C-alpha cells in the first residue's frame, strides 16, 4: 500500500496550481494538496472528469478547489489560465507541472507536425506556465515549482522518442530555472516516476505481463499507484525541502 502522506503544516492556506490535475497522478496531487488545507486550482483539458473532481473536493476540503479548463499547448490560453488561477487562489506559492501525454510513436512515421504537437504538450508548457507563475511567486517573496519528468528516457524505450526527449529536456529546464530563480527564493525541482499504474495506463499500454515484468525489475515488489507521488510532491512543495533546488527525486520502487 502507498504511504499515507505526512502533514506539512506550512502548506495549509498556500496557493497551489497543478497542471493536468484532473485525472491520473495529477488528480492524486490535487487531492493531496487540498487535504493539506492548501488553496488549490488545477488546469486540465478533460472537462467532465475535472469538474467532478473539483466538485467532490470542494465539498470535502477546507477551501474550494478550482478547475480551469485550458489546452496547455496553447501558450496564450496557458498564460490566461495561470493568471486566472492566481486570481482565484489569491496567491500562488506552488506550481506542479504535471500534465503530459505519453502517446507511443514510430521513428519511421513521426511527421514534423506530430513532433511539434508532442513537444507542445510534453515540454513547452512547463516553460511558459512557469514563466507566467513566477511574477506571482516573486510578488509574495518566493515559491516552489515541481516538474514531472519520467524515468522513461533513461530506459532506452524505443517507442516514444518525442516523449523521452521532452522528459529529458524537463531536467535541463529544471536546473536552468533553479539557477535563475534561486535569488528570488523560488525553488525548482523535478520528480521522475517509474511505472505508475493508473486507469489510463491500464487502458492504453499496460498488460498483466508488462506489469509483472516491471515489478520483477523493481526492488519493491508491488504496483506503484498515483498516491505514491503525493508524498514526494508535498515534500518538494513544502518548507521541509527549503534548502533543495535544482534536484530530482526518482519514485520508481527501485529500478534505477
Ligand atoms: N503514469 C506513469 O506511469 C508515469 C510514469 C512516468 C512519468 N509520468 C509522468 O507523470 C505525469 C502524470 O502522468 P499520468 O500517468 O497521470 O498522465 P495522464 O495522461 O493520466 O494525465 C495527464 C493529465 O494531463 C491532462 N492533459 C493532457 N494534455 C493536456 C493539455 N494539452 N492541456 C491540459 N491538460 C492536459 C490530461 O487530461 C490528464 O488529466 C506526467 O508528466 C507523466 O509524464 C507518469
Amino acid at each position: 500500500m502507498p504511504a499515507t502522506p505526512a502533514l506539512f503544516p506550512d502548506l495549509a492556506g498556500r496557493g497551489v496550481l497543478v497542471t493536468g490535475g484532473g485525472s491520473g497522478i495529477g488528480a492524486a496531487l490535487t487531492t493531496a494538496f487540498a487535504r493539506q488545507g492548501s488553496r488549490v486550482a488545477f488546469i486540465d483539458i478533460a472537462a467532465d472528469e475535472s469538474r467532478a473532481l473539483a466538485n467532490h473536493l470542494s465539498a470535502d476540503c477546507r477551501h474550494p478547489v478550482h478547475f480551469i479548463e485550458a489546452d496547455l499547448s496553447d501558450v496564450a490560453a496557458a498564460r490566461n489560465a495561470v493568471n486566472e488561477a492566481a486570481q482565484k487562489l489569491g496567491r500562488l506559492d506552488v506550481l506542479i507541472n504535471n500534465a503530459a501525454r505519453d502517446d507511443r510513436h514510430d521513428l519511421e512515421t513521426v511527421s514534423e507536425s506530430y513532433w511539434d504537437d508532442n513537444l507542445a504538450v510534453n515540454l513547452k508548457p512547463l516553460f511558459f506556465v512557469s514563466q507566467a507563475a513566477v511574477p506571482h511567486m516573486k510578488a509574495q517573496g518566493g515559491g516552489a515549482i515541481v516538474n514531472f519528468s519520467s524515468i522513461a528516457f533513461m530506459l532506452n524505450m524505443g517507442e516514444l522518442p518525442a516523449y523521452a526527449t521532452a522528459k529529458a529536456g524537463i531536467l535541463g529546464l529544471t536546473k536552468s530555472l533553479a539557477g535563475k530563480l534561486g535569488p528570488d527564493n523560488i525553488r525548482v525541482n523535478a520528480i521522475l516516476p517509474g511505472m505508475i499504474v493508473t486507469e489510463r495506463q491500464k487502458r492504453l499500454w499496460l498488460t498483466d505481463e508488462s506489469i509483472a515484468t516491471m515489478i520483477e525489475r523493481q526492488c519493491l515488489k508491488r504496483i506503484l499507484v498515483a498516491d505514491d507521488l503525493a508524498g514526494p510532491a508535498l515534500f518538494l512543495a513544502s518548507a521541509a525541502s527549503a534548502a533543495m533546488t535544482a534536484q530530482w527525486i526518482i519514485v520508481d520502487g527501485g529500478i534505477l
Side-chain angles (χ1 to χ4, degrees):
M1 289 297 289
T4 306
L7 265 184
F8 293 93
D10 66 292
L11 291 177
R14 297 285 179 188
V16 178
L17 173 60
V18 182
T19 71
S23 71
I25 293 170
L29 303 178
T30 298
T31 303
F33 280 101
R35 297 219 162 113
Q36 293 282 326
S38 304
R39 299 169 191 276
V40 183
F42 64 96
I43 302 170
D44 209 297
I45 201 170
D48 292 346
E49 231 168 322
S50 297
R51 237 173 248 126
L53 179 69
N55 289 341
H56 167 71
L57 290 176
S58 294
D60 202 35
C61 297
R62 194 180 308 168
H63 303 289
V65 171
H66 306 281
F67 162 50
I68 299 164
E69 186 176 354
D71 179 349
L72 291 161
S73 66
D74 175 341
V75 172
R79 284 183 175 136
N80 287 339
V82 173
N83 291 328
E84 185 182 335
Q87 189 257 324
K88 286 201 155 104
L89 297 172
R91 53 185 298 141
L92 187 51
D93 304 277
V94 176
L95 166 63
I96 311 287
N97 277 313
N98 161 80
R101 284 184 66 97
D102 65 348
D103 297 345
R104 274 44 174 176
H105 42 280
D106 288 328
L107 169 65
E108 291 79 9
T109 55
V110 166
S111 63
E112 184 179 357
S113 67
Y114 181 90
W115 180 268
D116 288 346
D117 289 350
N118 190 295
L119 269 69
V121 175
N122 288 323
L123 185 57
K124 188 170 75 168
L126 283 91
F127 177 82
F128 286 103
V129 169
S130 301
Q131 186 191 53
V134 160
H136 300 287
M137 292 180 173
K138 279 187 185 175
Q140 69 213 24
I145 298 175
V146 180
N147 294 327
F148 269 72
S149 173
S150 171
I151 65 164
F153 81 87
M154 298 178 180
L155 294 178
N156 310 329
M157 292 172 70
E159 66 274 25
L160 29 68
Y163 176 82
T165 301
K167 291 297 174 183
I170 286 168
L171 298 189
L173 177 65
T174 298
K175 293 192 79 72
S176 178
L177 291 181
K180 176 71 180 169
L181 297 171
D184 297 304
N185 196 32
I186 298 171
R187 301 181 298 109
V188 190
N189 293 292
I191 292 177
L192 285 70
M195 185 193 68
I196 311 302
V197 181
T198 63
E199 286 309 313
R200 180 174 189 271
Q201 295 292 315
K202 278 200 285 192
R203 194 174 67 247
L204 294 177
W205 321 121
L206 299 178
T207 60
D208 289 347
E209 195 184 18
S210 67
I211 292 173
T213 303
M214 199 53 101
I215 290 176
E216 183 63 31
R217 293 179 69 178
Q218 293 172 193
C219 300
L220 301 177
K221 302 300 179 190
R222 69 163 173 89
I223 285 171
L224 305 186
V225 296
D227 282 343
D228 283 309
L229 280 309
L234 294 169
F235 168 68
L236 287 177
S238 110
S241 60
M244 283 180 66
T245 194
Q247 305 303 311
W248 53 77
I249 297 178
I250 294 177
V251 185
D252 68 353
I255 295 172
L256 296 175

